[in-house]
Every structure is written in structure tokens, then in C-alpha cells.
Amino acid sequence: MAKEKEAEGTESQDKKTEEKPPKKPGEMNLMKMLIMVGGTVVVLFILLIVVYMLIIKPDLQKMSVNGEGKAQTEEMKQAKDEDFNPEEIKKEENERFMSTGRITTNPSMSNQFVVVDLGLDFYVNEEQMKEIKKEKPEESPLMLRPLSSVKGEVNNLLGSMTVQELQSIRRDTLQRMINAKLTRVFLSNKMVLKEAILQEFIIQ
């Protein structure tokens, strides 16, 4: 009898173990899934930071340096609305070149001086051609206002930067910044700036 009972007990235990469904090899418990999801989120976050630092941030800086594209576009539209089409005056006979002479200003929070001399290559409209000759255009009375505005914009730009910023900035970058500022000055005077060339740059 005892042997029969033991046999019956063993059979019932075997049945219970058979009743438990075997775990599928692909099944994961909740903890493992949470760890995997968390790891994926962390990796994606790190990738996002890397992409921002290497790609997006430099592009944003370029936009801020070259920038003011929207403002320039608005200036162009405004100029066209005033019966002045900048594209029409971009002809060789309308082209003029002049130097600003030395522009001197103090950088931000400094007693030092910054000296720049710009060469301005630009186009004048048909009416201005009569008074602004190719030889010594800076001596024309019509150039007094634009030249004064040019010097003011350059002073404001250089005066807003520290000596350290001016020393670390690349010359071509500074030239692009000046071009962006002066493009609007010329458009407001019904002229078109072709290029502002940084002829001289000294920090004293």
C-alpha cells in the first residue's frame, strides 16, 4: 500500500510539473525589457547631443555670422518696392571702388584700439553715375551719407566685441560679418554692395 501511495504521489508531482508550461526561449521578463528600453533611450540621447554639437551648432553659428539673410531679403524687397531694382544696376559701367580709410574704435570693455580699413566694391544706380565718378568716388558729396553709415556700422560691430573675440575670430569670418552689415547700408542708399574687403586690421 505504501508503495502504491508513493507511486501515486510521484505521478501527481509529475503531472503538476507537466502542467507548468515551459518558458519560450524568446520570452523576456519585465526587468530585462525595461533595461533594454532604458539603454536605448540613453544611447539615442547621447547620439542627439553628438549630432547637435557636431552638425547643428556649427550651422547655427554660421547663420548668426553670415546671418541677417532675412533682413537683407526684406531690404531687397523694400528697395524693389521703391522702383529700385538692385539686379538692374549690376553692370560694369555702374561699378565703383573706394577705401573707407582707417576706422578706429574701442572693443567692448577695453582701452585698446581696433583699426580697420575697408575696400568697398559697389554698384551705383543710373542717376548716381552722373555724380559718383569712377575716379575718387569718395570725393562725391553723394557718398558722404553712405560712407558715414558704413563707418557707424563698422564701429558698432567692432565695439560690440571684446579684444579676445576679435583676436580669436578668423579674418574671413569677420569680413563676412562686415559684408552682412554693410549690404543693408548700400541698399538703403539705392546702391548695391558687391564686396567689402578687409584691407587692414590692427589691434593696438
Side-chain angles (χ1 to χ4, degrees):
M1 283 288 289
K3 285 182 180 179
E4 284 178 8
K5 283 182 181 179
E6 280 177 16
E8 282 176 10
T10 311
E11 282 177 11
S12 62
Q13 281 179 0
D14 289 344
K15 283 181 183 177
K16 282 179 183 177
T17 50
E18 283 176 11
E19 283 173 7
K20 287 183 181 178
K23 282 189 177 180
K24 294 178 183 177
E27 257 182 20
M28 293 185 187
N29 62 22
L30 185 62
M31 188 59 79
K32 284 182 181 176
M33 286 182 70
L34 287 173
I35 290 169
M36 283 192 69
V37 170
T40 306
V41 169
V42 170
V43 170
L44 286 173
F45 182 70
I46 292 168
L47 280 173
L48 186 64
I49 291 172
V50 171
V51 168
Y52 174 78
M53 295 301 289
L54 295 179
I55 299 170
I56 299 170
K57 192 177 179 183
D59 282 347
L60 289 173
Q61 286 174 341
K62 282 179 186 175
M63 285 172 67
S64 67
V65 167
N66 299 336
E68 303 176 7
K70 189 177 180 182
Q72 288 180 25
T73 307
E74 286 173 4
E75 289 281 351
M76 295 281 275
K77 284 180 182 175
Q78 187 179 350
K80 284 185 178 180
D81 292 342
E82 294 171 358
D83 297 327
F84 166 62
N85 188 348
E87 296 304 318
E88 285 180 3
I89 69 170
K90 290 182 180 179
K91 303 172 189 173
E92 191 178 333
E93 60 268 23
N94 294 33
E95 193 171 351
R96 302 287 184 269
F97 184 87
M98 60 179 270
S99 292
T100 59
R102 286 186 161 191
I103 303 171
T104 307
T105 190
N106 293 101
S108 178
M109 300 179 292
S110 173
N111 292 324
Q112 290 181 264
F113 291 96
V114 182
V115 180
V116 294
D117 184 7
L118 300 175
L120 303 173
D121 195 0
F122 61 101
Y123 299 98
V124 296
N125 63 42
E126 301 298 327
E127 291 177 14
Q128 294 163 341
M129 277 180 65
K130 298 168 189 173
E131 292 191 45
I132 304 172
K133 305 295 182 186
K134 285 205 172 189
E135 299 78 24
K136 298 185 178 179
E138 64 274 11
E139 293 181 3
S140 167
L142 271 180
M143 286 306 302
L144 291 176
R145 185 170 177 268
L147 193 53
S148 177
S149 298
V150 164
K151 290 179 178 180
E153 287 289 347
V154 173
N155 273 322
N156 290 338
L157 176 64
L158 299 178
S160 68
M161 302 171 77
T162 63
V163 172
Q164 289 77 17
E165 287 172 330
L166 289 167
Q167 286 173 335
S168 62
I169 195 168
R170 288 168 55 95
R171 296 292 175 264
D172 57 343
T173 302
L174 181 60
Q175 186 167 304
R176 283 198 299 271
M177 292 170 74
I178 291 170
N179 269 277
K181 290 279 185 186
L182 299 189
T183 296
R184 292 182 294 168
V185 171
F186 278 84
L187 284 172
S188 65
N189 286 280
K190 297 190 177 181
M191 301 174 186
V192 177
L193 179 67
K194 183 179 180 182
E195 186 181 17
I197 303 159
L198 193 60
Q199 299 180 140
E200 186 178 22
F201 180 78
I202 302 169
I203 300 175
Q204 296 177 333

